[in-house]
């Protein structure tokens, strides 16, 4: 499902206009993104948790040349599904 399809489905479920639904979805994405950038986690009970995972600097290998190289430390957003969502998917 793409963003436009998600907006259409949300609008149908809520009875809202597509334009209003788009604003709500974009606001949700902005708020979650801003919280993750600030180092916070966003927990939605029954759905899941959005948080930032930190990866330490490590040594890797260039697959073309076989040369050893250093891979810089980085942060990556992740989503952990909640129990209710897991149960719904597995039902």
């Amino acid at each position: 499902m793409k963003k436009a399809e998600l907006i259409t489905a949300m609008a149908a479920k809520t009875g809202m206009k597509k334009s209003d639904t788009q604003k709500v979805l974009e606001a949700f994405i902005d708020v979650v993104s801003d919280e993750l950038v600030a180092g916070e986690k966003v927990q939605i009970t029954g759905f899941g948790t959005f948080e930032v995972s930190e990866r330490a600097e490590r040594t890797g290998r260039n697959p073309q040349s076989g040369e050893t190289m250093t891979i810089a430390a980085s942060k990556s957003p992740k989503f952990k599904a909640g129990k209710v969502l897991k149960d719904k998917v597995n039902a």
Side-chain angles (χ1 to χ4, degrees):
M1 176 178 275
K2 296 184 179 184
K3 186 176 179 181
E5 295 167 329
L6 178 60
I7 290 168
T8 302
M10 289 173 59
K13 253 198 192 283
T14 62
M16 294 171 60
K17 293 182 200 173
K18 283 186 186 180
S19 60
D20 292 338
T21 305
Q22 181 176 357
K23 289 177 188 175
V24 170
L25 180 60
E26 288 174 359
F28 173 78
I29 292 169
D30 288 343
V31 169
V32 171
S33 299
D34 292 345
E35 289 299 308
L36 293 177
V37 167
E40 301 294 324
K41 70 179 182 179
V42 178
Q43 185 173 356
I44 303 171
T45 305
F47 184 68
T49 304
F50 297 90
E51 58 189 338
V52 175
S53 170
E54 295 190 26
R55 294 181 179 176
E57 184 177 278
R58 62 193 191 279
T59 304
R61 198 171 280 280
N62 182 330
Q64 291 181 343
S65 66
E67 179 183 326
T68 302
M69 57 189 275
T70 301
I71 301 170
S74 64
K75 294 180 181 179
S76 178
K78 70 177 187 176
F79 175 76
K80 181 179 177 187
K83 184 181 182 332
V84 174
L85 180 59
K86 286 180 190 177
D87 291 346
K88 196 171 186 177
V89 169
N90 288 312

